[in-house]
Amino acid sequence: MDTKPTVAVLIPCHNEATTVGDVVSAFRLAFPHAEIHVCDNNSSDATAEIARQAQATVWSESHAGKGNVVRRLFAEIEADIYIMVDGDATYDAASAPAMVDLLQEHHLDMVVARRISTQQEAYRSGHRSGNRILTAAVGYIFGREMTDILSGFRVFSRRFVKSFPASSRGFEIETELTVHALQMRLPVAEMDSPYFARPEGSVSKLNTWPDGLRILGKILRLFSLEKPLQFFCIIALACFTVASLLFVPVLIEYIETGLVPKIPSLIVAVGGYLLAVLSFMVGIILRTTSTGRLEAKRFAYLNVRP
């Protein structure tokens, strides 16, 4: 006899006292039998107390940052299906059952809520532009299967959660989740879901420029780790180009006059060529390491029951 899969709702929170109760209640209505877990990340308000009053299981994570919260929840919670959603009441709990159905029907490992909003207040212009730029960067490097890589509302299979090697500390965690799925070529999908403006009294923790640069840095680090040959070939090409721009005029002048008056340019050019060769060799060596890491992650994924 088939048993109904267990569902766990994971809600990372930091100073969300004005909204966490509504979020817990909304997901309790959508999934009456689900386990709802709120992880309080050093809140200075009554977030934890209100979550307990809403009958959620409350966890505490002392290390600041959303990535640390997600890593803790993924490690501690046991379920068949996981729903991760921010505690700021900007996501639509009513979309969750359809996302879960899509995950089960097509045997997917991740379903991402693609944010659809008609409210100008829901998306600051900087956030919207930054999301497009970062999504385009991930799509160009790792594949164009996702159109909203920063969405904080996702549904996961048990296999994904228990084999995900979380390393991010902050808001880069969504990027890492997306890149992991794309690099592992896991079955994923997106589903349109309403995205609302924050309720009055709730303040966004995301800073456009600092967090955007941090996310971009995460993309570059993942690029160097997951695709080192391509990454270091780009560096090698850049070094080779700069070296050639310096060397060619020196070579032309030597052919014409038999003299090399620009010794510093020649030295820098030779150094650039050496760096290009070294970068290419580093990329080849690290490619073997990245292949081993990918195989290890694949084995970890297959060792978790579906």
Side-chain angles (χ1 to χ4, degrees):
M1 182 177 178
D2 292 337
T3 58
K4 199 169 183 178
T6 57
V7 177
V9 180
L10 314 180
I11 308 175
C13 282
H14 173 69
N15 289 345
E16 301 289 3
T18 59
T19 57
V20 64
D22 293 335
V23 174
V24 172
S25 298
F27 277 89
R28 182 74 69 194
L29 182 63
F31 292 95
H33 302 294
E35 298 179 359
I36 299 183
H37 301 267
V38 172
C39 191
D40 178 38
N41 191 205
N42 290 335
S43 293
S44 57
D45 61 10
T47 295
E49 290 78 2
I50 292 175
R52 289 191 184 93
Q53 292 172 9
Q55 298 183 336
T57 301
V58 177
W59 299 78
S60 178
E61 175 54 56
S62 59
H63 295 94
K66 184 178 179 180
N68 290 319
V69 172
V70 172
R71 180 167 53 252
R72 173 76 183 279
L73 291 174
F74 278 12
E76 298 286 357
I77 310 304
E78 298 292 333
D80 297 315
I81 296 172
Y82 296 79
I83 301 171
M84 185 182 81
V85 64
D86 292 341
D88 56 10
T90 57
Y91 293 97
D92 181 36
S95 300
M99 293 170 65
V100 170
D101 290 343
L102 179 63
L103 185 95
Q104 292 182 281
E105 182 180 351
H106 295 280
H107 304 285
L108 303 176
D109 282 311
M110 181 173 69
V111 177
V112 180
R114 181 167 45 214
R115 294 170 287 182
I116 304 297
S117 176
T118 57
Q119 299 176 290
Q120 185 64 33
E121 299 82 3
Y123 255 131
R124 282 189 278 175
S125 58
H127 289 183
R128 192 185 299 270
S129 301
N131 190 24
R132 290 198 190 103
I133 293 170
L134 296 170
T135 297
V138 168
Y140 181 77
I141 297 170
F142 297 101
R144 299 182 181 277
E145 295 183 42
M146 312 293 291
T147 59
D148 189 0
I149 69 164
L150 301 183
S151 174
F153 184 15
R154 302 173 184 233
V155 176
F156 304 100
S157 69
R158 175 182 173 82
R159 262 186 169 173
F160 187 105
V161 167
K162 295 304 181 182
S163 64
F164 173 61
S167 63
S168 298
R169 297 181 180 182
F171 287 109
E172 320 93 271
I173 187 66
E174 283 91 358
T175 302
E176 187 180 3
L177 289 163
T178 301
V179 170
H180 176 73
L182 295 177
Q183 185 68 1
M184 291 276 289
R185 297 192 295 277
L186 302 180
V188 299
E190 289 181 302
M191 176 178 285
D192 290 348
S193 177
Y195 186 62
F196 309 115
R198 280 176 168 267
E200 186 176 354
S202 178
V203 180
S204 176
K205 315 301 185 302
L206 184 64
N207 296 311
T208 303
W209 283 106
D211 288 314
L213 292 174
R214 193 175 294 116
I215 293 168
L216 180 59
K218 184 66 177 181
I219 293 172
L220 293 176
R221 286 195 297 274
L222 290 171
F223 185 20
S224 67
L225 286 172
E226 304 297 344
K227 296 191 172 185
L229 182 57
Q230 294 92 321
F231 180 81
F232 283 98
C233 276
I234 292 174
I235 295 177
L237 180 60
C239 292
F240 181 85
T241 302
V242 172
S244 296
L245 290 174
L246 293 171
F247 178 72
V248 170
V250 174
L251 178 62
I252 293 173
E253 190 167 0
Y254 175 76
I255 293 173
E256 292 176 347
T257 66
L259 301 174
V260 184
K262 299 179 180 178
I263 299 296
S265 295
L266 179 61
I267 293 173
V268 173
V270 172
Y273 286 129
L274 289 175
L275 284 176
V277 173
L278 288 174
S279 295
F280 180 68
M281 296 304 297
V282 168
I284 292 176
I285 294 170
L286 291 182
R287 184 183 183 185
T288 303
T289 304
S290 69
T291 301
R293 290 179 64 253
L294 184 61
E295 291 175 349
K297 288 192 289 186
R298 187 68 182 175
F299 284 131
Y301 169 81
L302 293 174
N303 280 334
V304 180
R305 67 176 177 83

